[in-house]
Amino acid sequence: MDIGRFTLLCADGSARRGELQTARGTIQTPVFMPVGTAGTVKSLSPHDLEDIGAEIILGNTYHLYLRPGDELIARRGGLHRFSGWKRPVLTDSGGYQVFSLSELRQITEDGVAFRSHLDGSKHFFSPEKAVAIQRNLDADIMMVLDECVSYEADQAYTERSVERTTSWAWRSRQAYPERSGENLLFGIVQGGFFKDLRRRSAEEICSIPFDGYAIGGLSVGEPKEMMREMLLLTAPLLPIEAPRYLMGVGKPLDILEGIGAGIDMFDCVLPTRNARNGTLYTSTGQVNIKNERYKEDDAPLDPRCSCYTCSNFSRAYLRHLYTARELLAYRLNTIHNLSFYQGLVQEARKSIEQQRFSLLTEYYRSVFSGHDEA
Amino acid sequence: MDIGRFTLLCADGSARRGELQTARGTIQTPVFMPVGTAGTVKSLSPHDLEDIGAEIILGNTYHLYLRPGDELIARRGGLHRFSGWKRPVLTDSGGYQVFSLSELRQITEDGVAFRSHLDGSKHFFSPEKAVAIQRNLDADIMMVLDECVSYEADQAYTERSVERTTSWAWRSRQAYPERSGENLLFGIVQGGFFKDLRRRSAEEICSIPFDGYAIGGLSVGEPKEMMREMLLLTAPLLPIEAPRYLMGVGKPLDILEGIGAGIDMFDCVLPTRNARNGTLYTSTGQVNIKNERYKEDDAPLDPRCSCYTCSNFSRAYLRHLYTARELLAYRLNTIHNLSFYQGLVQEARKSIEQQRFSLLTEYYRSVFSGHDEA
């Protein structure tokens, strides 16, 4: 096996169809990675995820480090053996959570000190520590520690941050110098919302030999147009021969736009979090299952969907479960939303192979614009 | 098919091994019925229940009547079609919940007026209404409306209540006179904790031609010895040729004692509610999965159990899920506890066939007495 090899199978405009080899199997791209924050994709078992067709899931280093602890997981044989999920896992570096969840964080050149959002205990992440934790988790793909600046950050702050992120990226690489090793390592381009800084960060990060390159710091509250501008600017700056990962994005149309810009990998909490809030994605648009109109609706949630939920239950039953806050609601809704995202990237792959990706995007644009209810 | 036929296959002392035919298949007895309050056994899908081997589940008339409504369910084709559960369902009459959950209840000869615990709306259950609701749900086994008196009720009150319960039982039978119909109808013996009243209620209820007879009003806060006394007094008064059901009981040892007293059917929220509280039943005793001692325990929860949870996950992972309040914890714990109860009645059946039921009881007494942790 040739771990880390990324093969471009074909392209349609900037959209790419590829394959990435990891220590635990080959991932077809474009790919969507469900988020399994604390060693479980909320409400699902690993077998549910296999049934959905998930090829790789994401684990959150920050959460797993705090609870149950990366060393405990290492003693259990890694995250796969601990959780029962056998396919590849990508772990983020913990940086995003440190900056968004933890308290009293203090950033220095060396790393970032923070207090746990669980119990207020003090912790410190350096680039080297983030790699060590992810190796303890035995992630198939690790991410370097980076600083994700807020939408409000000014140019001077963002510039210092870009320098720090580059320096941390080099240190991460040195902490695990093995290219195409058992644990792949991806770099992250930052630069906030300043074109020059995005260009500079892309140049610096891409000069470091990583197994893949990510775009971080988007979808943090900026207007959609600005996210789009930064994506279209940054994506072409990433090496054509390596996998490209757009972190934390997004809605179905955002993912199609990302693919259209040449992105191969995506993760986002939206399909899972929205499922738990009763917001469901279907082939005819967004459905709010709480809505009174589904009270006596015997049709499946999405007649064009073949997931477990749509094969076995009606909208009326799903509405009842959600209204009664029954635990089964969370699982059935999550299975459907993740199946929808899985179907979306599968259709994207096929449409790239058949040179009709832009038609697919247009189709989904018509599904998700104008009206929100099916 | 001979709906309602109860066949006694063999006996060991007072313990019985039987079969009950319902419109949706034959139930082996002794049987434990998982509680599916609101059209779902909390956290489980109907397929999870089939995998566990559940043969019949219980639905709560009070809850389903209030939400989503029995008429809505009838328009969906009944509770089975609505929920996707294809095997038999027994519904209680709603009486117990009216007396324990609802507000401002007012009991008259005609029935009971109450306010919903959900929104305070006013409702009225008569014996006829309780049957009509259960026919809307299309329960395979319906229960008559009864009054479950509290442990504190005095003899005079309990006597009037027994009279009312008998009168309601007659009215229930008249509301659905079809014996061995599509929807079987069971009577309920009450009588509080007064031996004479238990005898009188048993005599009166058993003079009415029902498809089965239940003992109600036990396990409502009385000392264990008193429950046992009432059980041993009442069970032999029920017709030998009909199924006997001990309502709302109980812990594993309570169930074995019930079987020993000649009871065929049981239901209880304990295995499911305890699962959600992290209290798990195993072949070596009770386990509190929150306990620190399981933090690095790679063994399955119960090495002698072959359920989905024990076949795939470690105590360390279950503890992590529970500690992090992950939704998957509720499902995995519930699958295990219900599998344990299912195994318990299956062993009871076999031991009755092999004339060694008392040895099984002794064995479980040693498992569950003395120490609470495995």
Side-chain angles (χ1 to χ4, degrees):
Chain A
M1 196 160 50
D2 206 355
I3 297 174
R5 186 167 67 190
F6 181 64
T7 312
L8 277 176
L9 301 173
C10 64
D12 179 6
S14 299
R16 298 137 56 102
R17 169 79 182 87
E19 273 182 6
L20 173 62
Q21 289 194 28
T22 77
R24 289 184 184 82
T26 301
I27 300 155
Q28 303 301 318
T29 66
V31 71
F32 177 78
M33 305 181 281
V35 177
T37 302
T40 160
V41 172
K42 290 193 190 311
S43 83
L44 299 192
S45 72
H47 304 92
D48 290 330
L49 286 164
E50 286 172 17
D51 288 346
I52 289 164
E55 293 161 77
I56 173 171
I57 64 171
L58 184 142
N60 285 129
T61 292
Y62 170 84
H63 290 281
L64 292 165
Y65 159 82
L66 289 178
R67 187 171 64 189
D70 55 299
E71 289 176 1
L72 182 148
I73 290 177
R75 287 191 293 273
R76 311 273 79 67
L79 186 56
H80 291 81
R81 288 197 57 185
F82 182 60
S83 71
W85 168 252
K86 294 179 175 62
R87 298 178 185 173
V89 166
L90 178 147
T91 47
D92 61 10
S93 65
Y96 183 78
Q97 278 75 28
V98 166
F99 292 106
S100 63
L101 277 183
S102 74
E103 287 157 31
L104 291 170
R105 59 188 173 274
Q106 198 171 15
I107 191 162
T108 64
E109 285 314 302
D110 195 32
V112 55
F114 61 96
R115 282 179 184 276
S116 158
H117 74 292
L118 295 174
D119 62 6
S121 54
K122 285 185 186 175
H123 300 271
F124 185 79
F125 274 5
S126 65
E128 294 80 9
K129 179 84 179 275
V131 166
I133 296 171
Q134 294 177 84
R135 293 203 66 197
N136 273 337
L137 301 174
D138 197 15
D140 299 280
I141 303 176
M142 311 186 290
M143 302 301 298
V144 297
L145 185 67
D146 61 335
E147 183 186 357
C148 180
V149 297
S150 75
Y151 176 52
E152 285 77 27
D154 64 18
Q155 184 155 5
Y157 184 89
T158 306
E159 184 165 8
R160 281 197 308 278
S161 170
V162 162
E163 285 164 8
R164 194 152 45 216
T165 285
T166 297
S167 148
W168 287 2
W170 276 111
R171 283 167 57 192
S172 304
R173 184 73 280 181
Q174 280 151 12
Y176 185 69
E178 225 174 309
R179 189 131 183 233
S180 300
E182 285 286 315
N183 314 108
L184 301 175
L185 183 62
F186 279 24
I188 306 176
V189 172
Q190 291 285 351
F193 298 93
F194 303 96
K195 291 184 183 179
D196 283 353
L197 294 176
R198 281 276 161 193
R199 280 194 203 97
R200 176 175 163 192
S201 183
E203 192 179 325
E204 291 177 358
I205 296 297
C206 297
S207 74
I208 309 174
F210 287 117
D211 299 301
Y213 297 88
I215 302 175
L218 296 186
S219 204
V220 293
E222 74 278 11
K224 199 171 167 65
E225 232 355 275
M226 182 163 290
M227 175 182 132
R228 203 154 172 267
E229 197 179 353
M230 291 298 145
L231 167 66
L232 291 174
L233 167 83
T234 314
L237 302 175
L238 306 183
I240 200 163
E241 70 280 4
R244 298 162 170 173
Y245 166 25
L246 179 56
M247 303 183 79
V249 173
K251 295 184 187 173
L253 289 179
D254 298 332
I255 287 178
L256 291 175
E257 279 182 15
I259 294 172
I263 300 292
D264 309 298
M265 303 168 66
F266 302 86
D267 80 283
C268 191
V269 295
L270 266 190
T272 40
R273 181 177 292 162
N274 274 343
R276 301 196 304 279
N277 293 330
T279 298
L280 305 173
Y281 298 99
T282 78
S283 61
T284 49
Q286 216 166 284
V287 161
N288 186 336
I289 199 65
K290 295 184 285 290
N291 200 307
E292 180 87 11
R293 78 168 78 175
Y294 304 120
K295 202 169 176 177
E296 307 231 4
D297 188 339
D298 295 326
L301 174 57
D302 185 349
R304 288 178 51 192
C305 175
S306 61
C307 82
Y308 173 73
T309 303
C310 291
S311 304
N312 289 283
F313 305 96
S314 66
R315 291 174 169 195
Y317 186 61
L318 293 177
R319 180 184 186 274
H320 164 64
L321 291 180
Y322 192 84
T323 309
R325 293 290 185 274
E326 281 290 345
L327 289 164
L328 182 58
Y330 303 111
R331 178 165 170 245
L332 296 184
N333 291 351
T334 302
I335 286 174
H336 173 78
N337 269 1
L338 287 182
S339 296
F340 182 87
Y341 268 63
Q342 182 65 20
L344 183 77
V345 294
Q346 279 170 341
E347 282 187 81
R349 289 173 200 163
K350 200 184 293 177
S351 74
I352 295 169
E353 289 164 5
Q354 301 175 343
Q355 306 290 312
R356 51 174 184 78
F357 176 72
S358 60
L359 281 175
L360 184 78
T361 309
E362 281 318 303
Y363 168 72
Y364 273 100
R365 217 183 292 279
S366 74
V367 168
F368 284 106
S369 61
H371 58 314
D372 256 6
E373 288 290 325
Chain B
M1 196 161 48
D2 207 354
I3 296 174
R5 185 165 71 190
F6 181 64
T7 312
L8 276 177
L9 301 174
C10 65
D12 178 6
S14 298
R16 301 138 52 100
R17 169 81 183 87
E19 274 181 5
L20 173 62
Q21 290 194 29
T22 77
R24 288 184 184 82
T26 301
I27 300 155
Q28 303 300 317
T29 66
V31 71
F32 177 79
M33 305 183 281
V35 177
T37 302
T40 160
V41 173
K42 291 193 189 306
S43 81
L44 300 192
S45 72
H47 304 92
D48 290 330
L49 286 163
E50 286 173 17
D51 288 346
I52 288 164
E55 292 160 77
I56 172 172
I57 64 172
L58 184 141
N60 285 129
T61 291
Y62 170 85
H63 290 281
L64 292 165
Y65 159 81
L66 289 178
R67 188 173 59 190
D70 55 297
E71 289 176 1
L72 181 147
I73 290 176
R75 287 191 293 271
R76 310 272 81 65
L79 186 55
H80 292 81
R81 286 198 59 186
F82 181 60
S83 70
W85 169 250
K86 295 180 172 63
R87 299 178 184 173
V89 165
L90 178 147
T91 47
D92 61 9
S93 66
Y96 182 79
Q97 277 74 29
V98 166
F99 292 106
S100 63
L101 276 185
S102 73
E103 288 158 30
L104 291 171
R105 58 188 174 275
Q106 199 172 12
I107 191 162
T108 64
E109 286 314 302
D110 195 31
V112 53
F114 61 96
R115 281 181 184 274
S116 158
H117 74 292
L118 294 176
D119 61 6
S121 55
K122 285 185 187 175
H123 301 271
F124 183 78
F125 275 5
S126 65
E128 294 80 8
K129 179 85 179 273
V131 166
I133 296 171
Q134 293 177 86
R135 294 203 67 198
N136 273 338
L137 300 174
D138 197 15
D140 300 279
I141 304 177
M142 310 185 291
M143 303 301 299
V144 298
L145 186 68
D146 60 336
E147 183 185 359
C148 180
V149 297
S150 75
Y151 176 53
E152 285 75 28
D154 65 18
Q155 185 155 7
Y157 183 89
T158 307
E159 185 167 7
R160 282 197 307 279
S161 170
V162 162
E163 285 164 7
R164 195 154 43 216
T165 286
T166 297
S167 148
W168 288 3
W170 276 112
R171 284 167 56 192
S172 304
R173 183 73 282 179
Q174 281 151 11
Y176 185 70
E178 225 174 310
R179 189 132 182 232
S180 301
E182 287 285 315
N183 315 108
L184 301 175
L185 183 62
F186 280 23
I188 306 176
V189 173
Q190 290 285 350
F193 298 92
F194 303 95
K195 291 183 183 179
D196 284 355
L197 294 176
R198 280 277 161 192
R199 281 194 202 96
R200 176 174 164 193
S201 182
E203 192 179 322
E204 291 176 0
I205 296 298
C206 297
S207 74
I208 309 173
F210 287 118
D211 299 299
Y213 297 88
I215 303 176
L218 297 186
S219 203
V220 294
E222 74 279 11
K224 198 174 166 66
E225 231 356 274
M226 182 162 290
M227 174 181 134
R228 205 156 169 265
E229 198 178 352
M230 291 298 145
L231 168 66
L232 291 173
L233 168 82
T234 313
L237 303 175
L238 307 182
I240 199 162
E241 70 281 4
R244 298 161 169 174
Y245 166 25
L246 180 56
M247 302 182 79
V249 174
K251 294 182 187 175
L253 288 179
D254 298 333
I255 287 179
L256 290 175
E257 279 183 12
I259 294 172
I263 300 293
D264 309 298
M265 301 168 67
F266 302 86
D267 81 282
C268 191
V269 295
L270 266 191
T272 39
R273 182 177 293 163
N274 274 343
R276 300 196 304 280
N277 293 329
T279 299
L280 305 173
Y281 298 99
T282 77
S283 61
T284 50
Q286 216 166 282
V287 160
N288 185 336
I289 199 64
K290 294 184 285 291
N291 200 307
E292 180 87 11
R293 77 168 78 173
Y294 305 120
K295 203 169 173 177
E296 306 231 3
D297 189 338
D298 295 326
L301 175 56
D302 186 348
R304 288 178 52 192
C305 176
S306 61
C307 81
Y308 173 72
T309 303
C310 291
S311 305
N312 289 284
F313 305 97
S314 66
R315 291 174 168 194
Y317 186 60
L318 294 177
R319 179 183 188 275
H320 164 63
L321 291 179
Y322 192 83
T323 308
R325 293 288 185 276
E326 280 290 344
L327 289 164
L328 182 58
Y330 303 110
R331 178 166 170 243
L332 295 184
N333 291 352
T334 302
I335 286 174
H336 173 78
N337 269 1
L338 286 181
S339 296
F340 182 86
Y341 269 62
Q342 182 65 20
L344 183 78
V345 295
Q346 279 170 341
E347 282 186 80
R349 289 173 200 164
K350 202 184 290 178
S351 74
I352 296 169
E353 289 165 5
Q354 301 176 343
Q355 306 291 311
R356 50 174 185 79
F357 175 72
S358 60
L359 281 175
L360 184 78
T361 309
E362 282 317 304
Y363 168 73
Y364 273 100
R365 219 184 290 281
S366 74
V367 167
F368 284 106
S369 60
H371 58 314
D372 256 5
E373 287 290 325

